[in-house]
Coordinates of all heavy atoms in Angstrom, one line a residue:
M1 N 0.8 -1.2 0.0 CA 0.0 0.0 0.0 C 0.9 1.3 0.0 O 0.6 2.2 -0.8 CB -0.9 0.0 1.2 CG -1.7 1.2 1.4 SD -3.3 0.9 0.7 CE -4.2 2.2 1.4
R2 N 1.9 1.3 0.9 CA 2.7 2.5 0.9 C 3.5 2.7 -0.4 O 3.7 3.8 -0.8 CB 3.7 2.3 2.1 CG 4.7 3.4 2.3 CD 5.5 3.3 3.6 NE 6.5 4.3 3.6 CZ 7.7 4.2 3.8 NH1 8.2 3.0 4.2 NH2 8.6 5.2 3.8
E3 N 3.9 1.6 -1.0 CA 4.6 1.6 -2.3 C 3.7 2.2 -3.3 O 4.2 3.0 -4.2 CB 5.1 0.2 -2.7 CG 6.2 -0.3 -1.8 CD 6.4 -1.8 -2.0 OE1 5.7 -2.5 -2.7 OE2 7.4 -2.3 -1.4
S4 N 2.5 1.9 -3.4 CA 1.6 2.5 -4.4 C 1.4 4.0 -4.2 O 1.3 4.7 -5.2 CB 0.3 1.8 -4.4 OG -0.5 2.0 -3.3
V5 N 1.4 4.5 -3.0 CA 1.3 5.9 -2.7 C 2.6 6.6 -3.2 O 2.5 7.6 -3.8 CB 1.1 6.2 -1.2 CG1 1.2 7.7 -0.9 CG2 -0.3 5.6 -0.7
I6 N 3.7 6.0 -2.9 CA 5.0 6.6 -3.4 C 5.0 6.6 -4.9 O 5.4 7.5 -5.5 CB 6.2 5.8 -2.8 CG1 6.3 6.0 -1.3 CG2 7.5 6.2 -3.4 CD1 7.2 5.1 -0.6
Y7 N 4.6 5.5 -5.5 CA 4.6 5.3 -7.0 C 3.7 6.4 -7.6 O 4.0 7.1 -8.5 CB 4.1 3.9 -7.3 CG 4.0 3.7 -8.8 CD1 5.1 3.6 -9.6 CD2 2.7 3.6 -9.4 CE1 5.1 3.3 -10.9 CE2 2.7 3.4 -10.8 CZ 3.8 3.2 -11.6 OH 3.7 3.0 -12.9
Q8 N 2.5 6.6 -7.0 CA 1.6 7.7 -7.4 C 2.2 9.1 -7.3 O 2.1 9.9 -8.2 CB 0.3 7.6 -6.7 CG -0.6 6.4 -7.0 CD -1.0 6.3 -8.5 OE1 -1.3 7.3 -9.1 NE2 -0.9 5.1 -9.0
D9 N 2.9 9.3 -6.2 CA 3.6 10.6 -6.0 C 4.7 10.8 -7.1 O 4.8 11.9 -7.7 CB 4.3 10.7 -4.6 CG 3.3 10.9 -3.5 OD1 2.1 11.2 -3.8 OD2 3.7 10.7 -2.3
I10 N 5.4 9.8 -7.4 CA 6.4 9.9 -8.4 C 5.8 10.2 -9.8 O 6.3 11.0 -10.6 CB 7.3 8.6 -8.5 CG1 8.2 8.5 -7.2 CG2 8.2 8.6 -9.7 CD1 8.9 7.2 -7.0
L11 N 4.7 9.4 -10.1 CA 4.1 9.7 -11.4 C 3.5 11.1 -11.5 O 3.7 11.7 -12.5 CB 2.9 8.7 -11.5 CG 3.3 7.3 -11.9 CD1 2.0 6.4 -11.9 CD2 3.9 7.2 -13.3
E12 N 2.9 11.6 -10.4 CA 2.4 12.9 -10.4 C 3.5 14.0 -10.6 O 3.3 14.9 -11.4 CB 1.6 13.2 -9.1 CG 1.0 14.6 -9.0 CD -0.1 14.9 -10.0 OE1 -0.7 13.9 -10.6 OE2 -0.3 16.1 -10.3
E13 N 4.6 13.8 -9.9 CA 5.7 14.7 -10.0 C 6.2 14.7 -11.5 O 6.5 15.8 -12.0 CB 6.8 14.3 -9.1 CG 8.0 15.3 -9.0 CD 9.0 14.9 -8.0 OE1 8.6 14.5 -6.9 OE2 10.2 15.1 -8.3
G14 N 6.4 13.5 -12.1 CA 6.8 13.4 -13.4 C 5.9 14.1 -14.4 O 6.3 14.8 -15.4
R15 N 4.6 13.9 -14.2 CA 3.6 14.5 -15.1 C 3.7 16.0 -15.0 O 3.7 16.7 -16.0 CB 2.2 14.0 -14.7 CG 1.1 14.6 -15.6 CD -0.3 14.4 -15.1 NE -0.5 15.1 -13.9 CZ -0.7 16.5 -13.8 NH1 -0.7 17.2 -14.9 NH2 -0.9 17.1 -12.6
E16 N 3.8 16.6 -13.8 CA 3.9 18.0 -13.6 C 5.1 18.6 -14.2 O 5.1 19.6 -14.9 CB 3.8 18.4 -12.1 CG 2.5 18.2 -11.4 CD 2.5 18.3 -9.9 OE1 3.6 18.6 -9.4 OE2 1.4 18.2 -9.3
E17 N 6.2 17.9 -14.1 CA 7.5 18.3 -14.7 C 7.4 18.3 -16.2 O 7.8 19.3 -16.9 CB 8.6 17.3 -14.3 CG 9.9 18.0 -14.0 CD 10.9 17.0 -13.4 OE1 10.9 16.7 -12.2 OE2 11.7 16.5 -14.2
G18 N 6.8 17.3 -16.8 CA 6.6 17.2 -18.2 C 5.7 18.3 -18.7 O 5.9 18.9 -19.8
E19 N 4.6 18.5 -18.0 CA 3.7 19.6 -18.4 C 4.4 20.9 -18.4 O 4.2 21.7 -19.3 CB 2.5 19.6 -17.4 CG 1.3 20.4 -17.8 CD 0.2 20.3 -16.8 OE1 -0.5 19.3 -16.9 OE2 0.0 21.1 -15.9
E20 N 5.2 21.2 -17.4 CA 5.9 22.5 -17.3 C 6.8 22.7 -18.5 O 6.9 23.7 -19.1 CB 6.6 22.7 -16.0 CG 7.3 24.0 -15.8 CD 6.4 25.2 -15.9 OE1 5.2 25.2 -15.5 OE2 6.9 26.2 -16.4
K21 N 7.6 21.6 -18.7 CA 8.5 21.6 -19.9 C 7.8 21.9 -21.2 O 8.2 22.6 -22.0 CB 9.3 20.3 -19.9 CG 10.4 20.3 -18.9 CD 11.2 19.0 -19.0 CE 12.3 18.9 -17.9 NZ 13.0 17.7 -17.9
G22 N 6.6 21.2 -21.3 CA 5.8 21.4 -22.5 C 5.3 22.8 -22.7 O 5.3 23.4 -23.8
L23 N 4.9 23.4 -21.6 CA 4.4 24.8 -21.6 C 5.6 25.7 -22.0 O 5.4 26.7 -22.8 CB 3.8 25.2 -20.3 CG 2.5 24.6 -19.9 CD1 2.1 24.9 -18.5 CD2 1.4 25.1 -20.9
Q24 N 6.8 25.5 -21.4 CA 7.9 26.4 -21.7 C 8.3 26.3 -23.2 O 8.5 27.3 -23.8 CB 9.1 26.0 -20.8 CG 9.0 26.4 -19.4 CD 10.1 25.9 -18.5 OE1 11.0 25.1 -19.0 NE2 10.1 26.3 -17.3
K25 N 8.3 25.0 -23.7 CA 8.6 24.8 -25.1 C 7.6 25.5 -26.0 O 7.9 26.2 -27.0 CB 8.7 23.4 -25.4 CG 9.1 23.1 -26.9 CD 9.2 21.6 -27.1 CE 9.7 21.4 -28.6 NZ 9.8 20.0 -28.9
G26 N 6.3 25.4 -25.6 CA 5.3 26.1 -26.4 C 5.4 27.6 -26.4 O 5.2 28.2 -27.4
R27 N 5.7 28.1 -25.3 CA 5.9 29.6 -25.2 C 7.1 30.0 -26.1 O 7.0 31.0 -26.8 CB 6.2 30.0 -23.7 CG 5.0 30.1 -22.9 CD 5.4 30.6 -21.5 NE 4.5 30.1 -20.5 CZ 4.9 29.2 -19.5 NH1 6.1 28.8 -19.4 NH2 4.0 28.8 -18.7
Q28 N 8.2 29.3 -26.0 CA 9.4 29.6 -26.8 C 9.1 29.5 -28.3 O 9.4 30.4 -29.1 CB 10.5 28.7 -26.5 CG 11.1 28.9 -25.1 CD 12.2 27.9 -24.7 OE1 12.3 26.8 -25.3 NE2 13.0 28.2 -23.7
E29 N 8.3 28.4 -28.7 CA 8.0 28.3 -30.1 C 7.0 29.4 -30.5 O 7.2 29.9 -31.6 CB 7.3 26.9 -30.4 CG 8.3 25.8 -30.3 CD 7.7 24.4 -30.4 OE1 6.4 24.3 -30.5 OE2 8.4 23.4 -30.3
G30 N 6.1 29.8 -29.7 CA 5.2 30.9 -30.0 C 5.9 32.2 -30.2 O 5.6 33.0 -31.1
L31 N 6.9 32.4 -29.3 CA 7.7 33.7 -29.4 C 8.5 33.7 -30.7 O 8.5 34.7 -31.4 CB 8.6 33.8 -28.2 CG 8.0 34.2 -26.9 CD1 9.0 34.2 -25.8 CD2 7.4 35.6 -27.0
Q32 N 9.1 32.5 -31.0 CA 9.8 32.4 -32.3 C 9.0 32.6 -33.5 O 9.4 33.3 -34.4 CB 10.5 31.0 -32.3 CG 11.5 30.9 -33.5 CD 12.6 31.9 -33.5 OE1 13.1 32.3 -32.5 NE2 13.0 32.3 -34.7
E33 N 7.8 32.0 -33.5 CA 6.9 32.2 -34.6 C 6.4 33.7 -34.8 O 6.3 34.2 -35.9 CB 5.6 31.3 -34.4 CG 5.9 29.8 -34.7 CD 4.7 29.0 -34.4 OE1 3.6 29.5 -34.3 OE2 4.9 27.8 -34.2
G34 N 6.2 34.3 -33.6 CA 5.8 35.7 -33.6 C 7.0 36.6 -34.2 O 6.7 37.5 -35.0
K35 N 8.2 36.3 -33.8 CA 9.3 37.0 -34.3 C 9.5 36.8 -35.8 O 9.8 37.8 -36.6 CB 10.6 36.6 -33.6 CG 10.7 37.1 -32.2 CD 12.0 36.6 -31.6 CE 12.1 37.0 -30.1 NZ 13.4 36.5 -29.5
E36 N 9.3 35.6 -36.3 CA 9.5 35.3 -37.7 C 8.3 36.0 -38.5 O 8.6 36.6 -39.6 CB 9.4 33.8 -38.0 CG 9.7 33.5 -39.4 CD 10.0 32.1 -39.7 OE1 10.4 31.3 -38.8 OE2 9.8 31.7 -40.9
E37 N 7.1 36.0 -38.0 CA 6.0 36.7 -38.7 C 6.3 38.2 -38.8 O 6.1 38.8 -39.8 CB 4.7 36.4 -37.9 CG 3.5 37.0 -38.6 CD 3.3 36.6 -40.1 OE1 3.6 35.5 -40.4 OE2 2.9 37.5 -40.9
K38 N 6.8 38.8 -37.7 CA 7.1 40.2 -37.7 C 8.2 40.5 -38.7 O 8.2 41.4 -39.5 CB 7.6 40.6 -36.3 CG 7.9 42.1 -36.2 CD 6.6 42.9 -36.2 CE 6.8 44.3 -36.0 NZ 5.6 45.1 -36.1
A39 N 9.3 39.6 -38.8 CA 10.3 39.7 -39.8 C 9.8 39.6 -41.2 O 10.2 40.4 -42.1 CB 11.4 38.7 -39.5
R40 N 8.8 38.8 -41.4 CA 8.2 38.6 -42.7 C 7.5 39.9 -43.1 O 7.5 40.4 -44.3 CB 7.3 37.4 -42.8 CG 8.0 36.1 -42.8 CD 7.0 34.9 -42.7 NE 7.7 33.7 -42.7 CZ 7.9 33.0 -43.8 NH1 7.4 33.4 -45.0 NH2 8.5 31.8 -43.8
Q41 N 6.7 40.5 -42.2 CA 6.0 41.7 -42.4 C 7.0 42.8 -42.8 O 6.7 43.6 -43.7 CB 5.2 42.1 -41.2 CG 4.0 41.2 -41.0 CD 3.3 41.5 -39.7 OE1 3.6 42.4 -38.9 NE2 2.3 40.6 -39.3
I42 N 8.1 42.9 -42.0 CA 9.1 44.0 -42.3 C 9.7 43.7 -43.7 O 9.9 44.7 -44.5 CB 10.2 43.9 -41.2 CG1 9.6 44.5 -39.9 CG2 11.4 44.8 -41.6 CD1 10.4 44.2 -38.7
A43 N 10.0 42.5 -44.0 CA 10.6 42.1 -45.3 C 9.6 42.6 -46.4 O 10.1 43.1 -47.5 CB 10.9 40.7 -45.4
L44 N 8.3 42.3 -46.3 CA 7.4 42.7 -47.3 C 7.4 44.2 -47.5 O 7.3 44.7 -48.6 CB 6.0 42.2 -46.9 CG 5.7 40.7 -47.2 CD1 4.4 40.3 -46.5 CD2 5.8 40.4 -48.6
K45 N 7.4 45.0 -46.4 CA 7.5 46.4 -46.5 C 8.7 46.9 -47.2 O 8.7 47.8 -48.0 CB 7.3 47.1 -45.1 CG 5.9 46.9 -44.5 CD 5.8 47.5 -43.2 CE 4.4 47.3 -42.6 NZ 4.3 47.8 -41.2
M46 N 9.8 46.2 -46.8 CA 11.1 46.6 -47.5 C 11.1 46.3 -48.9 O 11.7 47.0 -49.8 CB 12.3 45.9 -46.7 CG 12.5 46.5 -45.3 SD 13.8 45.6 -44.4 CE 15.3 46.5 -45.2
L47 N 10.5 45.1 -49.3 CA 10.4 44.8 -50.7 C 9.6 45.8 -51.5 O 10.0 46.3 -52.6 CB 9.8 43.4 -50.9 CG 10.7 42.2 -50.6 CD1 9.8 40.9 -50.5 CD2 11.7 42.1 -51.7
S48 N 8.5 46.3 -50.9 CA 7.7 47.3 -51.5 C 8.4 48.6 -51.7 O 8.1 49.3 -52.6 CB 6.4 47.5 -50.6 OG 5.6 46.4 -50.6
A49 N 9.3 48.9 -50.8 CA 10.1 50.1 -50.8 C 11.3 50.0 -51.7 O 12.0 51.0 -51.9 CB 10.6 50.5 -49.4
G50 N 11.5 48.8 -52.3 CA 12.6 48.6 -53.3 C 14.0 48.2 -52.7 O 15.0 48.3 -53.4
F51 N 14.0 47.8 -51.5 CA 15.3 47.4 -50.9 C 15.7 46.1 -51.6 O 14.9 45.2 -51.9 CB 15.2 47.1 -49.4 CG 15.1 48.4 -48.6 CD1 13.9 49.0 -48.3 CD2 16.3 48.9 -48.0 CE1 13.9 50.2 -47.6 CE2 16.2 50.0 -47.3 CZ 15.0 50.7 -47.0
P52 N 17.0 45.9 -51.7 CA 17.5 44.6 -52.3 C 17.4 43.5 -51.3 O 17.5 43.7 -50.1 CB 19.0 44.9 -52.7 CG 19.3 46.1 -51.8 CD 18.1 46.8 -51.5
V53 N 17.3 42.3 -51.9 CA 17.1 41.1 -51.1 C 18.2 40.9 -50.1 O 17.9 40.6 -48.9 CB 16.9 39.8 -52.0 CG1 16.9 38.5 -51.1 CG2 15.6 39.9 -52.7
P54 N 19.5 41.0 -50.4 CA 20.6 40.8 -49.5 C 20.5 41.8 -48.3 O 20.7 41.4 -47.1 CB 21.8 41.0 -50.2 CG 21.5 40.8 -51.7 CD 20.0 41.2 -51.8
E55 N 20.1 43.0 -48.5 CA 19.9 43.9 -47.4 C 18.8 43.6 -46.5 O 18.9 43.7 -45.3 CB 19.8 45.4 -48.0 CG 19.9 46.4 -46.9 CD 19.9 47.8 -47.6 OE1 20.2 48.0 -48.8 OE2 19.5 48.8 -46.8
I56 N 17.7 43.1 -47.1 CA 16.5 42.7 -46.3 C 16.9 41.5 -45.5 O 16.6 41.4 -44.3 CB 15.3 42.4 -47.2 CG1 14.9 43.6 -48.0 CG2 14.2 41.8 -46.4 CD1 13.9 43.4 -49.1
A57 N 17.6 40.6 -46.1 CA 18.1 39.4 -45.3 C 18.9 39.7 -44.1 O 18.8 39.2 -43.1 CB 18.8 38.4 -46.3
Q58 N 19.8 40.6 -44.3 CA 20.7 41.1 -43.3 C 19.9 41.8 -42.1 O 20.2 41.5 -41.0 CB 21.8 42.0 -43.8 CG 22.8 42.4 -42.8 CD 23.9 43.3 -43.4 OE1 23.8 43.8 -44.5 NE2 25.0 43.5 -42.6
F59 N 19.0 42.6 -42.5 CA 18.2 43.3 -41.5 C 17.2 42.4 -40.8 O 17.0 42.6 -39.6 CB 17.4 44.5 -42.3 CG 16.7 45.4 -41.3 CD1 17.4 46.3 -40.6 CD2 15.3 45.3 -41.1 CE1 16.7 47.2 -39.7 CE2 14.7 46.1 -40.3 CZ 15.3 47.1 -39.6
T60 N 16.6 41.5 -41.4 CA 15.5 40.7 -40.8 C 16.0 39.3 -40.3 O 15.2 38.6 -39.6 CB 14.4 40.5 -41.8 OG1 14.9 39.7 -42.9 CG2 13.8 41.8 -42.3
D61 N 17.2 38.9 -40.7 CA 17.7 37.5 -40.4 C 16.9 36.4 -41.1 O 17.0 35.3 -40.8 CB 17.7 37.2 -38.9 CG 18.8 38.0 -38.2 OD1 19.8 38.3 -38.9 OD2 18.7 38.3 -37.0
L62 N 16.1 36.8 -42.1 CA 15.4 35.8 -42.9 C 16.4 35.4 -44.0 O 17.2 36.2 -44.5 CB 14.1 36.4 -43.6 CG 13.0 36.7 -42.6 CD1 11.9 37.5 -43.4 CD2 12.5 35.5 -41.9
S63 N 16.2 34.2 -44.5 CA 17.1 33.7 -45.6 C 16.7 34.4 -46.9 O 15.5 34.8 -47.1 CB 17.0 32.2 -45.8 OG 15.8 31.9 -46.3
P64 N 17.7 34.6 -47.8 CA 17.3 35.2 -49.1 C 16.2 34.4 -49.8 O 15.3 35.0 -50.5 CB 18.6 35.2 -49.9 CG 19.7 35.3 -48.8 CD 19.1 34.5 -47.7
A65 N 16.3 33.1 -49.7 CA 15.3 32.2 -50.3 C 13.9 32.5 -49.8 O 12.9 32.6 -50.5 CB 15.6 30.7 -50.1
T66 N 13.8 32.7 -48.5 CA 12.5 33.1 -47.9 C 12.0 34.4 -48.4 O 10.8 34.6 -48.7 CB 12.6 33.1 -46.3 OG1 13.0 31.8 -45.9 CG2 11.3 33.5 -45.7
I67 N 12.9 35.4 -48.5 CA 12.5 36.7 -49.0 C 12.1 36.6 -50.4 O 11.1 37.3 -50.8 CB 13.7 37.7 -48.8 CG1 13.9 37.8 -47.3 CG2 13.4 39.0 -49.4 CD1 15.2 38.5 -46.9
E68 N 12.8 35.9 -51.2 CA 12.4 35.7 -52.6 C 11.1 35.0 -52.8 O 10.3 35.4 -53.6 CB 13.5 34.9 -53.4 CG 14.8 35.7 -53.6 CD 16.0 34.9 -54.0 OE1 15.8 33.7 -54.2 OE2 17.0 35.5 -54.2
E69 N 10.8 34.1 -51.9 CA 9.4 33.5 -51.9 C 8.4 34.5 -51.5 O 7.3 34.5 -52.1 CB 9.4 32.3 -50.9 CG 8.1 31.6 -50.8 CD 7.6 31.0 -52.1 OE1 8.4 30.5 -52.9 OE2 6.4 30.9 -52.3
L70 N 8.6 35.3 -50.5 CA 7.7 36.4 -50.2 C 7.5 37.3 -51.4 O 6.4 37.8 -51.6 CB 8.2 37.2 -49.0 CG 8.2 36.5 -47.6 CD1 8.9 37.4 -46.6 CD2 6.8 36.3 -47.2
Q71 N 8.6 37.6 -52.1 CA 8.5 38.5 -53.3 C 7.6 37.9 -54.3 O 6.8 38.5 -54.9 CB 9.9 38.7 -53.8 CG 10.0 39.8 -54.8 CD 11.5 40.1 -55.1 OE1 12.3 39.2 -55.1 NE2 11.8 41.4 -55.4
R72 N 7.8 36.6 -54.6 CA 6.9 35.9 -55.6 C 5.5 35.9 -55.1 O 4.6 36.1 -56.0 CB 7.4 34.4 -55.8 CG 8.6 34.3 -56.6 CD 8.9 32.9 -57.0 NE 9.3 32.1 -55.9 CZ 10.6 32.0 -55.4 NH1 11.5 32.6 -55.9 NH2 10.8 31.2 -54.3
Q73 N 5.2 35.7 -53.9 CA 3.8 35.7 -53.4 C 3.2 37.1 -53.5 O 2.0 37.2 -53.8 CB 3.8 35.2 -51.9 CG 4.1 33.8 -51.7 CD 4.2 33.4 -50.2 OE1 4.1 34.3 -49.3 NE2 4.5 32.1 -50.0
Q74 N 4.0 38.1 -53.3 CA 3.6 39.4 -53.4 C 3.1 39.8 -54.8 O 2.2 40.6 -55.0 CB 4.7 40.4 -52.9 CG 4.3 41.8 -52.7 CD 5.4 42.6 -52.1 OE1 6.6 42.4 -52.5 NE2 5.1 43.6 -51.3
H75 N 3.8 39.2 -55.8 CA 3.5 39.5 -57.2 C 2.4 38.7 -57.7 O 1.9 39.0 -58.8 CB 4.8 39.3 -58.1 CG 5.8 40.4 -57.8 ND1 5.7 41.7 -58.2 CD2 6.9 40.4 -57.0 CE1 6.7 42.4 -57.8 NE2 7.5 41.6 -57.1
N76 N 2.0 37.7 -57.0 CA 0.8 36.8 -57.5 C -0.5 37.4 -57.1 O -0.8 38.1 -56.3 CB 1.0 35.4 -57.0 CG 2.1 34.7 -57.7 OD1 2.4 35.0 -58.8 ND2 2.7 33.7 -57.0

């Protein structure tokens, strides 16, 4: 009986730890996605203003390929 209580405590502690790690990872991914979306918006504005792709890439940390894809989408 005592062993099952200890086992349940261990399981609960592990579940809580896993849940917290999952929440932290989700927050980090959400922040990263938000930053990338903001960078994409800035890149689109810079493309509209006539900035060259390499300069946009340097400013936004987006890859030139990503910026070129945004440029293609903008023209469609």
Side-chain angles (χ1 to χ4, degrees):
M1 176 97 161
R2 180 172 173 228
E3 291 169 351
S4 68
V5 170
I6 293 170
Y7 180 72
Q8 290 299 321
D9 286 346
I10 291 169
L11 284 176
E12 179 65 20
E13 186 177 320
R15 185 194 63 75
E16 288 173 1
E17 220 174 276
E19 190 174 281
E20 182 59 34
K21 285 182 182 178
L23 288 171
Q24 288 175 355
K25 184 177 179 182
R27 282 187 209 110
Q28 289 172 345
E29 288 175 359
L31 288 173
Q32 184 61 33
E33 287 175 15
K35 287 179 184 178
E36 186 168 336
E37 181 57 33
K38 185 71 174 174
R40 288 172 178 266
Q41 291 173 3
I42 291 168
L44 285 170
K45 288 178 183 177
M46 290 178 80
L47 284 168
S48 295
F51 284 87
V53 170
E55 191 172 336
I56 297 170
Q58 185 177 11
F59 185 78
T60 62
D61 287 333
L62 293 174
S63 71
T66 299
I67 296 165
E68 289 167 359
E69 179 62 31
L70 289 171
Q71 192 172 33
R72 283 191 292 275
Q73 290 173 358
Q74 191 177 36
H75 291 283
N76 287 335

